[in-house]
Amino acid sequence: MASLSYLWKNRIQYPITSIQFYRVWAKRLLTLRDLLKRNRRRRKLIRKGSIIDPTAEIGEILIGGKKKNLHVGAFSFLGKVSIMLHEKVVIGENVCINDGVQILTASHDVSDPLWPSIKKPVVIDDFVWIATDAMILPGVHIGRGAVVGAGAVVSKDVAPYEIITGNPAKPITKKRTTEFRYNPCEFLAANRAWLIG
């Protein structure tokens, strides 16, 4: 949601004579630097071939491989994430990927004496939440609304609305709701200053 044009078009407006007007503009000015940094990161990745929706938020990510292999949907948030783009990584809409997460798309065949590289895409569907320090291994598909717990190591597909934890990651009995009405980008202070006040 960091696109300046989006925020300007959807900004909350107060009369210039009100105290709220000055409070909102003070918040906007205080958070402007972070907002501009996220915009620069997104534009830089797009110039290098990534497909990133203008409403997605890109934190301090570390990317290896071909930038054209990255696709990020609307209103998705990526924190301080490490993504190795040897193959495609497709991130849906309204996805929240917290700090410390690693997404890998390549490994090696340890059963082959030549130790060849194995590359597989990673797909993360809409409304997925990947918590701090989780690791997503090559070839994983995480279904809509699933939750990957903090520190989990995911080597197999995750069913929609499933909650998985541990190393190796396994499902727990609790399921996530199937109805969503949130936008992970709204929680960022810079966006709140523009949209909520």
Side-chain angles (χ1 to χ4, degrees), residues 57-62 77-82 97-100:
E57 291 286 354
I58 306 298
E60 297 173 29
I61 61 175
L62 170 65
F77 169 77
L78 282 69
K80 294 178 182 177
V81 178
S82 172
I97 302 179
N98 291 132
D99 293 350

Side-chain angles (χ1 to χ4, degrees), residues 58-148:
I58 306 298
E60 297 173 29
I61 61 175
L62 170 65
I63 292 188
K66 299 175 182 173
K67 310 301 185 279
K68 69 177 185 174
N69 283 336
L70 180 63
H71 182 279
V72 182
F75 302 107
S76 286
F77 169 77
L78 282 69
K80 294 178 182 177
V81 178
S82 172
I83 305 175
M84 297 300 116
L85 293 169
H86 303 289
E87 187 52 78
K88 287 191 183 296
V89 172
V90 178
I91 299 168
E93 297 182 0
N94 295 87
V95 172
C96 181
I97 302 179
N98 291 132
D99 293 350
V101 170
Q102 296 179 54
I103 300 173
L104 307 175
T105 57
S107 185
H108 293 276
D109 184 353
V110 295
S111 62
D112 188 319
L114 296 175
W115 202 49
S117 180
I118 300 169
K119 300 175 186 177
K120 294 181 183 176
V122 170
V123 177
I124 301 168
D125 289 342
D126 300 345
F127 289 101
V128 167
W129 173 27
I130 303 176
T132 305
D133 293 329
M135 180 180 287
I136 312 301
L137 297 180
V140 168
H141 181 170
I142 302 175
R144 176 184 170 83
V147 176
V148 176

